[in-house]
Amino acid sequence: MTSLLSDANQRLDKALQYVTLRADAVERLKMPKASLTVSIPVRMDDGSLRVFQGYRVRYDDSRGPTKGGVRFHPNVTLDEVQSLAFWMTFKCAVLNLPFGGAKGGITLNPKQLSKFELERLSRGYIDLIADFIGPDIDIPAPDVYTNAMIMGWMMDQYSTIRRQITPGVVTGKPIPMGGSLGRETATAMGAFFTIQTLMPKLERQPNSTTVAIQGFGNAGAVIAELLFHAGYRVVAVSDSQGGIYAPQGLDIPSLRRQKEATRGLQAVYCEGSLCNWVEHQIISNAELLELQVDILIPAALENQITAENAAQIQAPLIFEVANGPINSAADAILESKGIQVFPDILVNAGGVTVSYFEWVQNRSGYYWSLEEVNQRLQTKITHETELIWATAQELGCSMRTAAYVHALKRLGEAIQAKGTQEDYQS
Ligand code: GLU
């Protein structure tokens, strides 16, 4: 199997057909700048000691300190973290944030650890990577199965090590520890603004558009609710256990309430305080992807649509809310079927954009209202979506390639500003 990083690099090669970069810049972007592997010893609640494998990768810092989340997941490998750091580099450039890209991860199933164990693990991870991160070096944030509380522990541990309260070292923190209003919902908000900007261009109306969403976590559940309130018909959702499909549409707010209360997905409609079961089918995650809907939103993990199932995908529009849900082999198959893919590095960039706002607020010491955060997010995402749409029209290429071209121009300028072969030879 090709590594995730070499697959990610294929997107770069494709975009390079449309934009001229100096050889130095291309060379620079092929490999991560620095990768750190750590073994984190954790005292477990039963007194035993377990050692967990952790990573932090800083991919490229030509445009500023590196930025990216930390995930806790059993499938975390160095290769995965490197490719996620690659995507962060392009994502930050797409949104014109003054950041490079990074990512971190710890290989574990967080559901098997107690809260105390998770705290010791998070603090132990920071002990080992403290010299690799910093508000002007590299700034971690939440990702899959990490949350505000974990970010709070990480910031606190870093501050203890430095003997200085340093809120700007981590974003996605709890609000009383310097977090930003709107960060928790930012990924979904950003995706929603992108979809809303593109709907008129795609000549579609929300109330005649059906949607299937894979993943019901921080991103998936919130985007489901935003779309529901905007009049879209959300007909299928799933979590790691499986999914539900109701062609007449699901009542997302009541489904979220049910999920919070029971930890499972149940198709109910609530009126007042009464909830009724609605007719629905139980489907698998794989089946959800192949439903006949207008919009498909993969909002879980990478590599969900590959050469193996791409031919079965029926949705004409796919918005990637997860990072890397479609691999490059599947890209070609979807394109040949006329399916339009709106890429992760644009669609899910709302999270890192509000992380940037959080970092700015931490450094200035002045905090914004929720309206201000969401307004600035909307302005930024809408602006960059319009530019990428125009690039795709102009070059006659996919939105993914257009987004990479858009980011590459900015990355190229930053790398070239330091001098390239041409400058030294002339
Ligand atoms: N983990 C998120 C992402 O993949 C957010 C990163 C951040 O806020 O730095 O975009």
Side-chain angles (χ1 to χ4, degrees), residues 67 98-99 135 139 165-184 186 350-377:
K67 185 87 194 78
F99 289 141
I139 305 120
I165 306 293
T166 318
V169 69
V170 171
T171 58
K173 300 178 291 295
I175 306 293
M177 293 178 78
S180 175
L181 295 171
R183 174 63 186 84
E184 204 115 322
V352 71
T353 303
V354 176
S355 274
Y356 165 55
F357 297 162
E358 183 172 326
W359 180 80
V360 168
Q361 293 171 76
N362 291 154
R363 295 164 70 97
S364 69
Y366 179 76
Y367 287 81
W368 311 348
S369 67
L370 180 61
E371 293 67 39
E372 231 170 321
V373 169
N374 284 338
Q375 187 53 54
R376 288 185 199 240
L377 174 63

Side-chain angles (χ1 to χ4, degrees), residues 191-201 206 227 230 232 319 378:
F192 178 69
F193 293 141
T194 309
I195 295 173
Q196 291 290 75
T197 307
L198 291 167
M199 286 296 275
K201 302 185 197 304
L227 291 172
Y232 294 75
F319 288 85
Q378 180 167 17

Side-chain angles (χ1 to χ4, degrees), residues 262-277:
T262 64
R263 300 199 150 260
L265 281 172
Q266 319 198 355
V268 288
Y269 254 102
C270 294
E271 265 173 53
S273 59
L274 279 184
C275 294
N276 299 313
W277 296 98

Side-chain angles (χ1 to χ4, degrees), residues 109-128:
N109 182 349
K111 293 176 186 169
Q112 290 170 353
L113 266 65
S114 73
K115 237 183 202 161
F116 290 119
E117 290 166 342
L118 281 175
E119 175 171 0
R120 291 193 283 268
L121 175 74
S122 307
R123 290 183 183 276
Y125 176 63
I126 294 299
D127 287 341
L128 290 165

Side-chain angles (χ1 to χ4, degrees), residues 344-414:
D344 46 6
I345 57 171
L346 168 67
V347 178
N348 74 23
V352 71
T353 303
V354 176
S355 274
Y356 165 55
F357 297 162
E358 183 172 326
W359 180 80
V360 168
Q361 293 171 76
N362 291 154
R363 295 164 70 97
S364 69
Y366 179 76
Y367 287 81
W368 311 348
S369 67
L370 180 61
E371 293 67 39
E372 231 170 321
V373 169
N374 284 338
Q375 187 53 54
R376 288 185 199 240
L377 174 63
Q378 180 167 17
T379 306
K380 225 168 169 21
I381 291 262
T382 308
H383 178 68
E384 302 299 335
T385 304
E386 296 278 4
L387 289 179
I388 293 170
W389 176 265
T391 302
Q393 301 301 305
E394 188 195 322
L395 300 177
C397 66
S398 69
M399 280 293 277
R400 185 182 318 278
T401 298
Y404 274 88
V405 167
H406 186 60
L408 265 177
K409 286 185 187 155
R410 289 175 176 158
L411 281 160
E413 278 166 16

